[in-house]
Amino acid sequence: MSKSSSKPKHKSKSKSKSTTSSKGPPLFSDFGHKAKDLLTAGYSKGQRFTFASHIDGGVNLTCSTSAKIGGRSTAAVAGSYTYKNATFNCRIDTDSKVAGTLSTKFLSSTKTSASFSLPEYKFSKLGFQTRQEYGAAAVSVSLCQSPTINLSATVGSASIVIGMEAEYKTASSTFSKCNAGISMKSLNSDASIILGNKGGLITASYVHYRGQEKKNAAVVEFTQNLSTKNTTLTVGGSCMVDHQTVVKARLDGRGDVKTVLRYSIRPKSCLSISGEFNTKALDKIPKIGLALSLAP
């Protein structure tokens, strides 16, 4: 009995290892995304309230209101519906702007999307993405009289990738954007170097994680404009105080300091308090932001 019971356990372990195969290279748009997320996501000015709900049948609704300091209040209602491999998203705000996206997945590695925007229909576009074992590519075409075509491609593995992206404007028959870069990842780090603005701008970022769960991280981002010789250095980090509280902070070369404390009230619901001030102008009143997100 003991031998027969041990065999299934051994098989289950081997299955779990086989299912955790490494993914292929990311898209070019993902280069440096982790660093940008740590340095920008979660920081807010003014007040923001968001309420999300789920309706049986795959429908999600989100209502949000925001009030910027010295500005007017805005509100928006967004919804999403998922059926099998297709997802439809729609958003309506107080400026009478309507935006929607229909995306579908097939072959487990390919995604197509169609988005529309009203009344500014020039932002509507068709998109196609595919990720294979050693390569990834994306194409998008704007739906207007003189469309703009965006192309990107990457080659490599899950640990090191090289890629490039370009934007072609049919109205002028010129390439308005041409970027190239390299991305490197490991268990505890995420680094990237991007040469943008047709070779006129270098952006390098590095993220270091501490712990297997990657709850604590430090980030540094360096940018240099090769034509003007202007450089910008930004450092930041994220620290998980306990299972409910996360603290983030960032400092750039201009002396701007931003901090945010995120407290999880319950799963999918949190309260965020942000602060911003300049070390070179301590006589000015710091800017405070408050964001509350509730979900069932």
Side-chain angles (χ1 to χ4, degrees):
M1 294 293 290
S2 61
K3 292 183 179 180
S4 62
S5 61
S6 62
K7 290 182 180 180
K9 292 182 180 180
H10 179 72
K11 290 181 180 180
S12 63
K13 288 182 181 179
S14 62
K15 288 181 180 180
S16 62
K17 289 182 180 180
S18 64
T19 56
T20 58
S21 59
S22 59
K23 296 180 180 180
L27 297 168
F28 189 87
S29 58
D30 294 329
F31 283 23
H33 177 73
K34 295 294 184 182
K36 287 293 184 183
D37 184 68
L38 283 170
L39 292 174
T40 59
Y43 300 99
S44 62
K45 298 178 182 179
Q47 295 79 40
R48 181 179 178 85
F49 174 77
T50 303
F51 176 76
S53 62
H54 176 76
I55 302 175
D56 293 339
V59 178
N60 295 305
L61 294 176
T62 302
C63 301
S64 62
T65 61
S66 61
K68 296 182 179 180
I69 298 176
R72 63 187 182 88
S73 300
T74 60
V77 177
S80 66
Y81 174 71
T82 301
Y83 179 74
K84 293 184 178 180
N85 294 328
T87 302
F88 176 72
N89 298 283
C90 186
R91 185 179 186 274
I92 305 173
D93 60 23
T94 51
D95 294 329
S96 299
K97 294 181 179 179
V98 182
T101 302
L102 174 63
S103 59
T104 59
K105 289 184 178 181
F106 55 95
L107 300 179
S108 72
S109 61
T110 304
K111 176 182 177 181
T112 60
S113 63
S115 63
F116 67 89
S117 179
L118 298 174
E120 299 176 345
Y121 66 91
K122 62 181 179 179
F123 294 110
S124 304
K125 61 182 180 179
L126 294 174
F128 173 83
Q129 297 179 0
T130 181
R131 293 183 62 180
Q132 303 300 325
E133 186 176 1
Y134 298 108
V139 181
S140 66
V141 181
S142 60
L143 302 178
C144 58
Q145 187 175 1
S146 300
T148 299
I149 304 173
N150 288 273
L151 306 169
S152 69
T154 58
V155 177
S157 62
S159 57
I160 181 169
V161 191
I162 59 173
M164 66 175 298
E165 67 173 354
E167 183 180 79
Y168 180 77
K169 291 188 176 181
T170 57
S172 57
S173 299
T174 57
F175 284 93
S176 58
K177 180 174 68 174
C178 186
N179 304 329
I182 182 172
S183 175
M184 295 161 286
K185 292 184 180 181
S186 67
L187 292 176
N188 297 318
S189 64
D190 189 327
S192 66
I193 301 175
I194 299 175
L195 185 62
N197 288 354
K198 298 182 180 180
L201 181 68
I202 295 179
T203 302
S205 62
Y206 176 78
V207 180
H208 184 80
Y209 299 100
R210 184 177 180 183
Q212 295 182 351
E213 297 182 355
K214 299 184 179 181
K215 298 298 183 181
N216 302 320
V219 57
V220 56
E221 184 182 69
F222 173 82
T223 62
Q224 182 177 28
N225 192 314
L226 299 181
S227 59
T228 62
K229 303 300 181 181
N230 291 332
T231 60
T232 303
L233 179 65
T234 307
V235 296
S238 175
C239 177
M240 187 172 186
V241 180
D242 52 43
H243 68 283
Q244 289 181 295
T245 309
V246 176
V247 178
K248 292 176 59 177
R250 56 161 284 177
L251 169 66
D252 60 28
R254 296 184 297 271
D256 291 328
V257 178
K258 294 183 180 181
T259 61
V260 59
L261 184 148
R262 184 177 183 273
Y263 178 77
S264 296
I265 304 173
R266 59 183 183 181
K268 300 181 181 181
S269 298
C270 66
L271 172 66
S272 299
I273 302 176
S274 305
E276 180 181 347
F277 66 93
N278 190 288
T279 57
K280 300 177 183 179
L282 297 177
D283 55 324
K284 295 184 178 181
I285 300 176
K287 299 177 182 178
I288 305 297
L290 180 66
L292 178 62
S293 178
L294 300 177

